[in-house]
Amino acid sequence: MRDRVVLVTGGAQGIGRGIAQAVLGAGGSVMIGDLDAEAGRACLQEWQVGPRAAFHALDVAREASVRRWTDAALARFGHIDGLVNNAGIADPHQGPLHELSLEKWNRYLSTNLTGAFLCSKHALPALAAAGGAIVNIASTRALQSEPDTEAYAASKGGLVALTHAMAVSAGPAVRVNAILPGWIATDAWKNPNARRHPKLSRRDHAQHPAGRVGTPEDIGALAVYLLGAASGFVTGQHFVVDGGMTIKMQYV
C-alpha cells in the first residue's frame, strides 16, 4: 500500500479502525471519517504515524458532510486510491416488523446503504484518475437472518447489489468488491472510554469451524488485498469472512 491513500468511513472504531490500521501497517496513508471526533483524535494519538493519517468528522447520511470529507482528503493528500465504505448502524435487532417505524427503517437505509452511495459518488472521480478500488463492508446478514432484523438485512443486502452494479459501471478504472463479516469482536476497538476486553465463552468460539470469533484484523487483511494491485483481476465480488459459520449446518 506504499504511496496509496485510502479513505475509511467509520474508521475511528471497530472494523473500520482495524482496516485503517491494516492499511497503515502495509505502508499506506489513511483519511478516517467518523461521527465520534474523540475516537478519531484518539486514533491519531495512538497510531503515531505523522502525516500518513488524518481524521475529519463525517456523517455519511448527509451529502454536504461527505463532500467536505472527500475534499479534505484531496486537499491533504492530493489523490485518493481507495475507499472503504464501512460506516453504519451496527445493531441488527429492532423488534417485530409490524412495530418498525418508517423513520427507523429509513435511518438504517440512509446510513448503511445511501452512505456508501454518497461516499462512492464523491470519491469516484479521484478514484478513477488513480485507478483505485472500493471495498464495501456488508454483512453475512445479507445472506441469512435472525428474526426482527429486516432493516439491517435489507441495507446490507443492498450493499452487495450496489457492489456488483458499481463494479460494472466504474470498471475498468475502478474495481469494487464487498466483504461480508460474520461475528467480529470489536469491544477492544472502540473509543478509549468504552473499550473493554470482549466477554467470549468457549461455546462462542467453538461454534465457528475456524475455532474462534473474528477480529477487526481479519477484515483488515482482506481489505488490504482488495485495495491493492495483487487483486487487479478481482471485481464485483463479495467475500464472506465469518470463520465458516455460514457453511455450517445448524441442527438443534
Side-chain angles (χ1 to χ4, degrees), residues 1-6 23 26-29 52 77 79-81 130:
M1 301 301 296
R2 187 174 299 279
D3 299 324
R4 295 187 179 225
V5 175
V6 176
V23 171
S29 299
R52 288 202 295 127
F77 296 106
H79 58 100
I80 298 173
D81 304 283

Side-chain angles (χ1 to χ4, degrees), residues 56-73:
H56 196 281
L58 172 65
D59 182 349
V60 296
R62 298 182 179 275
E63 187 164 15
S65 179
V66 171
R67 186 184 297 110
R68 287 192 295 269
W69 184 62
T70 52
D71 286 348

Side-chain angles (χ1 to χ4, degrees), residues 65-187:
S65 179
V66 171
R67 186 184 297 110
R68 287 192 295 269
W69 184 62
T70 52
D71 286 348
L74 283 170
R76 172 68 178 266
F77 296 106
H79 58 100
I80 298 173
D81 304 283
L83 167 66
V84 179
N85 287 310
N86 164 78
I89 301 170
D91 182 11
H93 298 279
Q94 290 301 315
L97 183 63
H98 67 275
E99 297 177 359
L100 181 64
S101 69
L102 179 60
E103 179 184 8
K104 187 167 288 185
W105 168 271
N106 285 335
R107 191 164 69 90
Y108 270 83
L109 266 66
S110 65
T111 303
N112 294 9
L113 182 56
T114 303
F117 151 68
L118 289 174
C119 291
S120 300
K121 170 185 174 179
H122 287 279
L124 197 57
L127 287 168
I134 296 173
V135 176
N136 295 320
I137 306 301
S139 168
T140 51
R141 291 176 186 271
L143 307 177
Q144 57 179 179
S145 293
E146 292 179 302
D148 305 328
T149 60
E150 283 80 7
Y152 185 89
S155 68
K156 294 301 187 177
L159 265 180
V160 173
L162 180 66
T163 295
H164 60 69
M166 288 200 306
V168 173
S169 300
V174 178
R175 295 179 300 103
V176 188
N177 293 287
I179 300 175
L180 282 58
W183 185 349
I184 306 297
T186 60
D187 307 73

